[in-house]
Amino acid sequence: MEKLILLMVIFGTCCAAPQDLSGKVFVFPKETNTNRVVLVTPKTRFNSVTTCLRYQSDLRRTYGIFSLATPTFNNDFLIYKCNAESDIELNARDGKADFTSLKLDANTWHSMCATWDSSTGLAQLWVDGKATTKKFVQTGAITGAPIAILGQEQDTYGGGFDAKKSFIGMITDFHMWDTVIPTCEIRRYMEDKHFSPGNVFSWKALDFQVKGQVLMELTSEVM
């Protein structure tokens, strides 16, 4: 019987239409300044943001998890592991806040949601079902054509990648909304129960391009 595993090595190819990635995982296998997944959306204004994803890594250094840049700001929305400790830096419109003393064990799957409200400038993280305190980042809407990337941090609009900041590990179940979604929806995501998929990016209908060597496997093979 053929082994039920999907393993795709895609070099600079793009998907013709959104794909349902339910039950699949992106694998970023090595340190490079090329491997990344570019997410495609026609939206050009974000009054607020919520992102949710699940990931696993054994890295002890800094790395970018999700990066959204516009022609105005390279770090218009960025989730960044900022040191060897369990700290996450969240950027919005080039402002930032550090969320510290998180429990981010290596070689462990973590569920993470990040919210940011453009009217108040407040941001918050949820990690494995637990919410952090809210912190001020920046006010004002994100505007302009976005370049959104999993696995790298953008130092320029759509580029400036540094291999020493690249993500090595696995990412799945990525969603993004252009609102701060209700707490009950975040809890449903964390508990892997029914929730409303992202209206900007949805893992169930993802429009994306793979650059470099990124693999895809079945969730059942790695979780």
Side-chain angles (χ1 to χ4, degrees):
M1 180 177 178
E2 184 178 358
K3 186 177 182 180
L4 296 178
I5 180 170
L6 174 65
L7 183 61
M8 299 163 53
V9 184
I10 312 173
F11 295 92
T13 60
C14 68
C15 298
Q19 293 190 32
D20 185 352
L21 298 185
S22 300
K24 299 180 178 66
V25 176
F26 282 132
V27 179
F28 300 80
K30 63 182 181 179
E31 181 176 283
T32 75
N33 64 354
T34 56
N35 294 353
R36 62 196 185 276
V37 177
V38 181
L39 309 177
V40 181
T41 178
K43 291 181 179 288
T44 58
R45 183 180 179 89
F46 307 92
N47 291 322
S48 296
V49 172
T50 302
T51 62
C52 290
L53 57 84
R54 306 187 210 282
Y55 80 98
Q56 177 177 301
S57 178
D58 65 355
L59 291 176
R60 297 289 295 170
R61 58 164 173 78
T62 62
Y63 54 86
I65 302 174
F66 173 68
S67 170
L68 186 149
T70 67
T72 305
F73 296 115
N74 299 330
N75 297 326
D76 237 335
F77 195 82
L78 171 67
I79 302 173
Y80 187 70
K81 179 71 163 48
C82 54
N83 57 34
E85 304 302 323
S86 293
D87 297 351
I88 294 290
E89 178 184 303
L90 183 63
N91 291 247
R93 301 191 70 243
D94 248 14
K96 69 175 183 177
D98 291 336
F99 294 86
T100 63
S101 302
L102 304 172
K103 187 173 177 58
L104 296 173
D105 294 338
N107 290 312
T108 300
W109 279 99
H110 298 290
S111 296
M112 180 181 294
C113 292
T115 67
W116 168 73
D117 186 330
S118 68
S119 62
T120 64
L122 293 180
Q124 186 176 35
L125 285 183
W126 289 71
V127 178
D128 298 334
K130 295 182 179 180
T132 68
T133 186
K134 292 186 177 182
K135 294 187 177 183
F136 179 81
V137 179
Q138 187 59 275
T139 57
I142 296 171
T143 59
I147 297 178
I149 291 175
L150 294 172
Q152 297 281 352
E153 187 250 343
Q154 301 174 72
D155 283 334
T156 62
Y157 180 53
F161 307 122
D162 182 345
K164 295 300 181 183
K165 297 178 182 178
S166 65
F167 176 79
I168 303 174
M170 296 177 284
I171 294 175
T172 190
D173 294 341
F174 180 81
H175 292 264
M176 178 173 164
W177 299 258
D178 58 4
T179 62
V180 174
I181 66 173
T183 296
C184 61
E185 285 287 286
I186 293 177
R187 292 193 184 281
R188 289 188 190 110
Y189 177 89
M190 291 283 164
E191 296 168 3
D192 201 18
K193 295 180 179 178
H194 178 73
F195 63 93
S196 300
N199 67 336
V200 180
F201 301 118
S202 169
W203 199 250
K204 296 179 180 297
L206 197 66
D207 192 351
F208 67 96
Q209 301 174 358
V210 173
K211 305 292 186 180
Q213 183 185 13
V214 178
L215 312 177
M216 189 180 287
E217 291 195 4
L218 296 177
T219 304
S220 59
E221 296 291 334
V222 298
M223 295 181 73

